[in-house]
Amino acid sequence: ILTNSTKAKAQNELGTAKDQIALAANEALTDYYAGVYASNNTTGEYDDEAVVTAVINAIKAADIVDTVDLEDSTLTGANTSFKLTCNDWYVEGTVDAKGGLSWGQFKNS
């Protein structure tokens, strides 16, 4: 019973951190696109690398739940991943070439 309780708590904390990171990343995307369309750039063109950089910076600066650690040392550009850990559990996230996030399954270390 204790193991199931620990697992549920860790997965809940990781889920909360995922939501917090997704919110920060979406705000970065919104701010970036708003800046592109608000500028004198009438075509609305954007730079994929700049979008990815904005999302990565937002992930690294995200205010996530204290019980979760963000391992972002490999998060350096498009199609790179990062890991959220809590107790013996973790979940991996990936930033794609357009700044979108995808998540893996919860796993036990």
Side-chain angles (χ1 to χ4, degrees):
I1 293 174
L2 186 57
T3 301
N4 287 338
S5 174
T6 302
K7 175 184 175 182
K9 182 175 181 350
Q11 288 182 342
N12 184 53
E13 298 291 316
L14 289 168
T16 298
K18 282 174 50 178
D19 290 345
Q20 292 166 324
I21 285 175
L23 179 62
N26 285 333
E27 286 176 356
L29 285 171
T30 299
D31 291 347
Y32 178 81
Y33 291 132
V36 167
Y37 288 104
S39 71
N40 292 331
N41 185 350
T42 58
T43 62
E45 293 178 14
Y46 61 92
D47 177 355
D48 288 344
E49 188 174 326
V51 170
V52 169
T53 299
V55 169
I56 288 172
N57 290 339
I59 291 170
K60 289 181 176 183
D63 184 23
I64 60 173
V65 64
D66 293 337
T67 56
V68 174
D69 292 319
L70 170 62
E71 298 176 17
D72 62 2
S73 60
T74 60
L75 188 54
T76 58
N79 301 311
T80 59
S81 63
F82 58 97
K83 187 185 285 188
L84 298 175
T85 59
C86 182
N87 297 328
D88 291 333
W89 290 88
Y90 70 93
V91 63
E92 292 180 327
T94 303
V95 177
D96 69 23
K98 299 284 187 186
L101 289 177
S102 60
W103 297 99
Q105 299 294 320
F106 292 112
K107 296 182 182 178
N108 194 336
S109 318

